[in-house]
Amino acid sequence: MNSIYILIYCLLFKSVLLFSQNTSKPNIILIIADDMGWGDVGFHGSKIQTPNIDQLAKDGIVLDRFYVSPICSPTRAGLMTGRYPDRYGLRDNVIAPWIQFGIDTSEQFLPQLLATAGYKNRAAIGKWHLGHYERKYLPLNRGFTHFYGHYNGAIDYFTHEREGELDWHNDWNTSYDKGYSTDLISEEAAKCIKQYKKDGPFFLYVAYNAPHGPLQAKEEDLRLYGYDPNKPTFGEANGKKEQGRGNTRWQTYAAMVTCMDRGIGQILKTLKEEGIENNTLVIFHSDNGPETNLGGSSGPLKGKKFQEWEGGVRVPAVIKWPQGLKGGWVSDQLCGYVDILPTLCAVAGVKEKTVKPLDGVNILPALTQKKKISREFYLGHGSIIVDDWKLVKANAGNNKMKNSEDVLFNIVKDPLEKNNIRAQHPEKYQQLLNAVKVYDDIVSAVKVPPYDAGRNTFKAPKEWNILN
């Protein structure tokens, strides 16, 4: 009889131990904005109303030197792999609807690693954009246990269509949910929080398609910025009003950002109401700089989306984890998108080693001890930052960059990239040339096709149902 009691005691102790281990790990929510610029948040001086993002910045740690790729798919790929997109052929382009390309399945994704650390529920909500022409590239085959959203970029916010077909999904099934896509994403995230909290730590990847084009906003948000339905909308022809358009592009863009901010507020409020705010780590950042012709702003920074100037690759970013990180300050640690995976794996206690070497680093020491990590960060196409120094080479493969000569900046002292000090610092210039060459010389086995490859003959599959 005593042996039975001992066995029961051991089993109960083991269960309690496992439960305590799991509950000590934080829930993780990674929130991505789409094409939101440095100058599009209130805490950077924008006129756009972003009270919830601003509060997140006030309560958390502002990552003041957070870098991404200048376009969407490469950034999202780096988030998921911790590796520069050059290593699997995704530097030069996004994965357009007609492009037959996906990230090689030998690349480990973040949710696959988190699964080994007890994260039972791992949801991708919103925009995917990491390959869709075969099912093996879709979220549920890349480590996520739930997907709600769209495979492509630039969907219609109201009809959820791309290339004339409905692109809205709930796991493998077509979703016919009605509503503005930003709201649907926020509502699903809040629902998942409530559903998952009882099962131990969870991971939510909340990838908004806002404020990426097409420019479409709800009238209630447009009115916040002076919308007058009796006046013409931008681009209006023959009196025909397009759904969701304001009187100006900026007005519409601002309304889209504010709607997303409200959704982020809904997510944060749900965490608080469910009693799990303190041990939930929330990261927010944009995937690249803004399309300034559509209303976005780089603030005082030079450049925009598609460019390796600061305005294209330096984005608003915040991390908040009340139980694990002291908030209320600004970090000047050089960091970025490829650091998300190793940092979150450290937070989650992932023991499994990655199959391939990472480019990103764990930045927790910089956030917990305010200990500066010396490192280099590759921006793509001949551009690199090494600690305080930035090199942008001329004629390095990005035709959106128009510099006629190599330029060197002390980017900490000169964040607006006004003073080329290459001639004054020849040794530093050579150091960065040597550093960037290592990355520029990467050759992957496959490469994303040119953007328009296959576009003319493409016909979207019915309801974007991928069968193969």
Side-chain angles (χ1 to χ4, degrees), residues 387-398:
D387 295 329
D388 294 355
W389 297 85
K390 179 178 179 180
L391 170 71
V392 180
K393 290 179 63 179
N395 305 312
N398 182 355

Side-chain angles (χ1 to χ4, degrees), residues 349-361:
V350 173
K351 303 299 183 185
E352 182 175 313
K353 289 187 177 180
T354 55
V355 173
K356 299 180 180 182
L358 301 179
D359 293 303
V361 301

Side-chain angles (χ1 to χ4, degrees), residues 39 46 56 130 138 151 181 190 241 298-299 305 311 327 353 440 464:
S46 177
L56 190 66
L130 290 175
L138 297 177
Y151 298 147
S181 61
K241 295 183 182 295
S298 300
K305 181 180 179 178
K353 289 187 177 180
D440 282 343
W464 284 98

Side-chain angles (χ1 to χ4, degrees), residues 105 116 135 152 252 261 295 305 307 313 337 417:
T105 54
T116 69
R135 286 168 75 97
N152 294 283
T252 312
D261 177 84
K305 181 180 179 178
Q307 298 176 330
V313 292
Y337 67 120
E417 298 172 296

Side-chain angles (χ1 to χ4, degrees), residues 14 59 80 121 126 136 213 215 222 226 258 271 299 313 325 369:
K14 184 177 181 181
D59 296 339
M80 290 295 114
N121 293 299
K136 66 182 180 181
L215 292 182
L222 289 168
T258 294
L271 291 174
V313 292
L325 296 171
Q369 306 164 29

